[in-house]
Amino acid sequence: MSINKFKVFLRVVELGSLTRAAEEMGFTQSGVSHIINSLEDEFNLTLLIRSRSGVRLTTNGEELLKTIREILKWNAHLEQEIAAIHGIELGIIHIGTFTSVAVHWLPGIIKDFQRDYPNIEIRLVEGDYREIEDWISEGRIDCGFLSLPTWDTFDVIPLHQEPMLVLLPLDHPLASQDFITLSQLENEPFIMPSKGSDDDVNRVLERVAAKPDIKYTVGDDYAIMAMVEKGLGISILPELVLRGQQRNIRLAQLKEPSNRSLGIAVSSMREVSPATKRFLNYVNSYPKL
């Protein structure tokens, strides 16, 4: 049973395509197909269903996927530990992140980390909070930045707290106020982040008896800002998202302070790879936002 076959199988599953996996891994499509067929012959099971639109897992494939991920994870741990014995720090770290952290924080961390550990490769996967939690749980990523609290089953390193701010059009009646109470938001036309990214706002709004009037649900923070600028409603976003924005909107603080708590999570601190442990220690000691 070959580790390389598992690597090819996993990449085919992640990309949903034999062709794309072949291109990325430097194989021909027929070569990848042969590897998958060989693995299925070894298991005496059909793992993938092929169609014109790509590939998808069979029920048997779904049952084996998590175990194959675990085998590859521990194989990577072994390779990294052997390299460390020889005085070399190497490995690949898959990190889940979302836009504001990826834009304002990670570039500096990655630049300094790669300077100190040039043989450790970093691969970023961007998603919303729900996706990142699922990816950690499934073993698709090694660690992920999240808004806290998150799943009780994760090990978490708290990193930073930042205020939640109210976004208003410049001509809004409340735009002249530096501080706004939650009660003043009641029945206001509101632009809500889409599900999976709305935890921070929901934690603020759960303290209000009468909720704002949610007119739009939008998946992109920068689209929310543009809509507020055009007078389509008000919104609430974390300070980090708004940092450096040159938009004609008014930002106000909430009179009842509300913060977003950022952290980085792993499925189990005891089971992280040496390379991931290096990164976690680096992030924890890095100057905060």
Side-chain angles (χ1 to χ4, degrees):
M1 206 174 295
S2 167
I3 290 292
N4 288 330
K5 289 181 184 178
F6 289 164
K7 290 179 179 178
V8 171
F9 170 74
L10 183 59
R11 203 66 191 123
V12 168
V13 171
E14 289 174 342
L15 295 174
S17 166
L18 295 170
T19 302
R20 290 175 61 196
E23 290 172 352
E24 182 180 288
M25 303 184 79
F27 295 108
T28 62
Q29 181 178 345
S30 61
V32 168
S33 184
H34 175 75
I35 289 169
I36 298 299
N37 290 338
S38 173
L39 191 59
E40 290 179 324
D41 288 342
E42 285 185 40
F43 291 167
N44 194 27
L45 294 169
T46 301
L47 302 175
L48 297 174
I49 296 172
R50 286 85 159 169
S51 68
R52 290 182 180 179
S53 60
V55 299
R56 60 185 176 85
L57 287 166
T58 63
T59 301
N60 292 326
E62 289 176 354
E63 289 180 5
L64 294 176
L65 180 61
K66 187 166 186 179
T67 302
I68 288 173
R69 286 191 195 277
E70 283 290 306
I71 291 170
L72 290 175
K73 180 182 81 172
W74 288 110
N75 181 71
H77 287 203
L78 177 62
E79 291 175 348
Q80 291 171 32
E81 288 172 0
I82 292 170
I85 291 171
H86 290 287
I88 303 169
E89 297 284 353
L90 58 77
I92 300 173
I93 311 171
H94 296 85
I95 303 166
T97 186
F98 44 90
T99 302
S100 56
V101 167
V103 170
H104 295 291
W105 201 11
L106 266 178
I109 294 175
I110 292 172
K111 179 182 177 182
D112 292 348
F113 184 81
Q114 299 273 240
R115 178 198 63 212
D116 294 341
Y117 302 102
N119 295 315
I120 296 179
E121 181 182 347
I122 289 179
R123 296 181 184 175
L124 299 179
V125 187
E126 193 167 324
D128 60 39
Y129 301 151
R130 293 289 170 276
E131 289 172 325
I132 294 170
E133 287 170 333
D134 288 341
W135 294 337
I136 294 171
S137 177
E138 294 165 2
R140 294 183 61 181
I141 58 177
D142 299 297
C143 58
F145 289 92
L146 288 169
S147 176
L148 306 179
T150 183
W151 296 9
D152 292 340
T153 55
F154 293 161
D155 287 334
V156 175
I157 300 173
L159 296 173
H160 176 71
Q161 284 202 336
E162 58 178 333
M164 300 290 291
L165 301 177
V166 181
L167 288 67
L168 301 151
L170 291 180
D171 59 355
H172 193 279
L174 298 175
S176 61
Q177 299 186 27
D178 292 329
F179 292 88
I180 294 175
T181 65
L182 288 170
S183 61
Q184 288 176 291
L185 304 182
E186 294 176 2
N187 303 316
E188 284 283 345
F190 197 84
I191 305 167
M192 189 76 175
S194 61
K195 191 171 181 62
S197 301
D198 59 350
D199 290 1
D200 307 308
V201 178
N202 281 327
R203 289 186 191 112
V204 175
L205 297 182
E206 69 186 8
R207 297 153 63 184
V208 188
K211 308 299 183 192
D213 180 13
I214 298 175
K215 291 290 188 182
Y216 307 97
T217 301
V218 182
D220 184 87
D221 295 330
Y222 302 107
I224 291 175
M225 295 179 213
M227 293 174 74
V228 171
E229 187 176 36
K230 293 299 183 182
L232 295 173
I234 68 171
S235 192
I236 298 174
L237 289 174
E239 185 273 335
L240 184 61
V241 173
L242 301 162
R243 190 174 297 180
Q245 289 302 306
Q246 303 294 321
R247 291 193 176 273
N248 293 316
I249 56 177
R250 172 74 169 136
L251 302 180
Q253 297 184 56
L254 285 162
K255 203 160 191 178
E256 306 92 335
S258 299
N259 293 321
R260 174 171 77 164
S261 297
L262 295 178
I264 190 165
V266 297
S267 58
S268 170
M269 203 66 74
R270 294 192 305 273
E271 296 182 359
V272 297
S273 68
T276 302
K277 188 173 293 185
R278 291 282 189 195
F279 182 77
L280 294 174
N281 290 337
Y282 208 89
V283 170
N284 197 27
S285 62
Y286 201 80
K288 299 301 183 278
L289 295 162

